[in-house]
Amino acid sequence: MPSFMSDGIELYYEEEGAGFPLVMLHGLMWSGMTFQREIDRLKAHYRVIALDSRGHGKSGKPPVYTWQDHVQDVIALLDTIGIESCYLLGASMGSYIAQGVAIAVPRRIKKLVLIAPKSNGLTSSMQEMLERHAGAMKDLALEDQIGRAFSYMFHNQAAVRKALTDWHTGQVTLNDPQEQAAANKALEGFDFRHDLKNVTAQTLVISGKHDGLNPPERGREVALLIPDSAFVEFQHSGHAPSIEEPERFLEEITNFLASAVESKMSI
C-alpha cells in the first residue's frame, strides 16, 4: 500500500487498474478499503486510487485537523503521483472533501460523483443526528443505541451489517474514541453554498430516500448549486446507496463516468 507525506502526515492509498484516473474518498470512520467492490468493477476501465483520509484507516491520525486539511491532502495526492486531472468520487464525509477539492482546483476535476452529500454543516452529520434523537436514545444500552441509529441511517440494514462484518474481517482499521472525536471535530463549520457555482466538473449527486443523516433534500440542494449537475434519489436506500442498492449504484456511476461530457445536465 503506497504512501506519501502531506503537511507532515503520512497518508496511504490503494491504486489499481489503468486508464483515466478516478480518485475515491470514503466516509467518516472508514477507509479506502470500503470501496473494494467498486474498485474491482471499475479498475478495468480506470486508474482507481482510493485514499485513506487523514485520521482514518492506515493513514496518520493527528490529534487535531480540519476539513481544509482533508482538501489539501487530496490535492497533495494528485501532485505527488502526477495526476493533472481526474474524476473524483466521494461518499458522505468524502463528498464534503470532494466538493472542497472541486472548488479549490476546478480545472483538475473533470467529473464529480457526490454520494449522500450536504453542502454545509456546523458539525458532522452523525453528531447532528445523535443530538436530534438524544431523548429517544438516552436510556438505551449501547447495542440498542447502535440499532436505533441504524434505523435512522439505513433502509437495508441487513446489507449494511453484512458489509460492516466483511470490512472487519478484511481488517479495516476503525478509530478509537479519541480518534473518532478528532474526525468529527474536523467536519465542523464548512459551508460551500456560496462557492459551488464555481465547480466546473460535470456532477452526479446520489442520495438515499431513507437517509436520516443527510436527507435527499441536502443532496438536491448541492445539485442545484452546481451548474452542470444531475440528482438521483435511490428509493430503497438510506445513507449507503452503494451497499443498499449496489447494482443500481454501479450502473449509475459507470454510465455517468463513461458518458461524454455534455454542456448541461438537468436536475
Side-chain angles (χ1 to χ4, degrees):
M1 191 174 189
S3 66
F4 67 102
M5 300 300 295
S6 179
D7 194 25
I9 302 299
E10 188 172 19
L11 302 177
Y12 286 82
Y13 63 96
E14 290 284 0
E15 181 174 346
E16 297 189 46
F20 194 77
L22 168 62
V23 177
M24 308 181 82
L25 307 176
H26 61 81
L28 184 68
M29 307 304 175
W30 301 115
S31 75
M33 183 181 173
T34 58
F35 286 122
Q36 192 59 56
R37 175 168 44 194
E38 288 76 25
I39 293 170
D40 289 342
R41 290 280 289 269
L42 294 169
K43 66 184 181 182
H45 305 286
Y46 304 98
R47 177 187 177 188
V48 185
I49 301 107
L51 175 68
D52 281 6
S53 295
R54 72 168 57 206
H56 296 74
K58 296 182 179 179
S59 290
K61 298 177 175 63
V64 178
Y65 52 98
T66 68
W67 64 264
Q68 292 98 330
D69 292 322
H70 283 310
V71 170
Q72 291 305 313
D73 289 341
V74 176
I75 297 171
L77 170 66
L78 300 182
D79 292 342
T80 299
I81 62 178
I83 292 178
E84 181 57 34
S85 62
C86 68
Y87 297 154
L88 184 60
L89 180 151
S92 191
M93 179 187 80
S95 76
Y96 320 153
I97 301 169
Q99 289 174 71
V101 174
I103 290 167
V105 289
R107 294 184 180 181
R108 300 182 74 171
I109 309 304
K110 301 305 180 185
K111 289 191 179 183
L112 183 63
V113 181
L114 303 174
I115 305 156
K118 63 180 181 180
S119 63
N120 64 96
L122 295 176
T123 185
S124 73
S125 293
M126 179 63 74
Q127 189 65 35
E128 289 178 356
M129 188 194 74
L130 292 176
E131 292 174 359
R132 189 162 60 248
H133 297 288
M137 300 178 71
K138 66 178 181 179
D139 296 325
L140 298 177
L142 178 60
E143 183 176 349
D144 293 329
Q145 288 181 4
I146 295 171
R148 181 66 64 86
F150 264 49
S151 71
Y152 298 138
M153 294 166 62
F154 306 114
H155 182 64
N156 190 343
Q157 296 177 47
V160 175
R161 291 183 185 278
K162 182 180 184 305
L164 291 173
T165 299
D166 292 345
W167 294 339
H168 181 71
T169 302
Q171 299 180 343
V172 171
T173 305
L174 302 178
N175 302 65
D176 67 27
Q178 292 74 29
E179 292 164 354
Q180 291 179 24
N184 272 293
K185 186 74 174 176
L187 301 182
E188 290 184 352
F190 71 89
D191 191 341
F192 300 128
R193 286 174 290 183
H194 298 296
D195 297 316
L196 286 173
K197 65 180 180 294
N198 299 321
V199 172
T200 59
Q202 184 176 334
T203 302
L204 173 65
V205 179
I206 297 174
S207 293
K209 178 179 180 179
H210 305 279
D211 187 351
L213 280 179
N214 290 337
E217 55 265 27
R218 293 188 172 183
R220 189 174 287 107
E221 178 188 46
V222 172
L224 286 168
L225 291 170
I226 296 175
D228 189 7
S229 63
F231 175 77
V232 177
E233 181 176 315
F234 280 30
Q235 297 301 304
H236 306 291
S237 291
H239 195 64
S242 64
I243 299 169
E244 299 177 79
E245 296 182 70
E247 291 305 317
R248 184 188 177 190
F249 177 79
L250 280 166
E251 180 181 7
E252 291 281 357
I253 63 172
T254 298
N255 290 343
F256 172 71
L257 294 176
S259 65
V261 175
E262 300 174 1
S263 59
K264 185 69 177 176
M265 297 180 70
S266 61
I267 299 171

